Amino acid sequence: MAAAAADGIELTRAREPWLNQRGHLGLPPEADAARPALRTIFEALDGRLGEQEAKRLTPLPGDFVHPASGTFIEIDESQHFTSFRLLTLDHYPGAVPLGFYIDHYRDLCRRWAPISDKYRASKPAVGFGDGGRQRQRAYHDALRDIATPTMGKPPVIRVDAPDRNGEAAYERNRDRILRALFTV
């Protein structure tokens, strides 16, 4: 956020009621086009439908939003690059507009999965069962990517930061971010 502010980019914390804990089951009618792909991803991740339906409509916290354009920006540390995330990327519809290079993300998942698949591997998650936290994170990333454009928003900009250095990640992606924010 500080690095973007130095370039005159105002970012705030992202939180939208339509991006909520129920995922594809809690999306408004405007996002109906996203449901089939998200249902397929949820099932591929062995999601538990009854548990997902019982969740509250509490908004999922995101990283940042650029208020002027409505663009979401997500910073992805190493725990986002798992074999489960790779599975979700392989189920993305070809027509979904993306604010990142999907093949680059696939490569990062392949490279980091041997390490990242161990991160909180036993942590449970409602809707995904024992050891389901990684599957839940991968699903939530897909939810943001696929549902956001159906809500009339620009594609989510994803900034990879597997080294956990957000400032360096911003610098590596600065031109891409500026182009996306100011050509919307």
Side-chain angles (χ1 to χ4, degrees):
M1 188 182 286
D7 279 337
I9 301 171
E10 177 194 359
L11 299 177
T12 59
R13 292 292 175 185
R15 182 166 276 207
E16 289 286 341
W18 49 269
L19 282 172
N20 60 67
Q21 291 184 18
R22 281 195 197 155
H24 66 287
L25 303 173
L27 289 172
E30 300 92 325
D32 280 347
R35 285 183 214 284
L38 290 167
R39 182 181 320 110
T40 297
I41 288 169
F42 183 78
E43 290 169 358
L45 291 168
D46 295 325
R48 298 177 177 186
L49 190 58
E51 290 178 18
Q52 194 73 10
E53 288 173 329
K55 288 182 177 181
R56 294 183 178 169
L57 291 171
T58 305
L60 294 171
D63 289 334
F64 307 109
V65 66
H66 179 245
S69 67
T71 304
F72 293 97
I73 300 175
E74 292 291 321
I75 311 301
D76 293 328
E77 301 90 352
S78 59
Q79 70 268 22
H80 289 265
F81 301 108
T82 64
S83 56
F84 298 114
R85 182 67 170 127
L86 180 60
L87 184 144
T88 68
L89 294 170
D90 289 343
H91 283 86
Y92 274 34
V96 68
L98 299 175
F100 63 97
Y101 301 109
I102 195 166
D103 288 335
H104 176 64
Y105 260 59
R106 284 182 175 120
D107 289 344
L108 287 168
C109 289
R110 288 183 195 103
R111 186 177 329 146
W112 282 92
I115 296 165
S116 298
D117 281 357
K118 296 174 187 170
Y119 180 76
R120 296 191 174 172
S122 62
K123 188 172 182 179
V126 176
F128 294 91
D130 292 337
R133 179 62 185 105
Q134 292 177 351
R135 289 180 283 131
Q136 181 187 59
R137 179 181 291 110
Y139 174 73
H140 287 164
D141 285 350
L143 173 68
R144 286 180 179 91
D145 293 342
I146 297 171
T148 298
T150 67
M151 292 298 294
K153 304 282 185 183
V156 175
I157 297 174
R158 290 202 169 272
V159 177
D160 61 282
D163 58 0
R164 298 181 180 271
N165 185 335
E167 190 171 335
Y170 175 78
E171 288 303 319
R172 283 192 310 271
N173 291 276
R174 181 179 181 272
D175 291 341
R176 181 173 66 91
I177 293 168
L178 291 171
R179 275 192 314 273
L181 294 181
F182 298 108
T183 58
V184 173

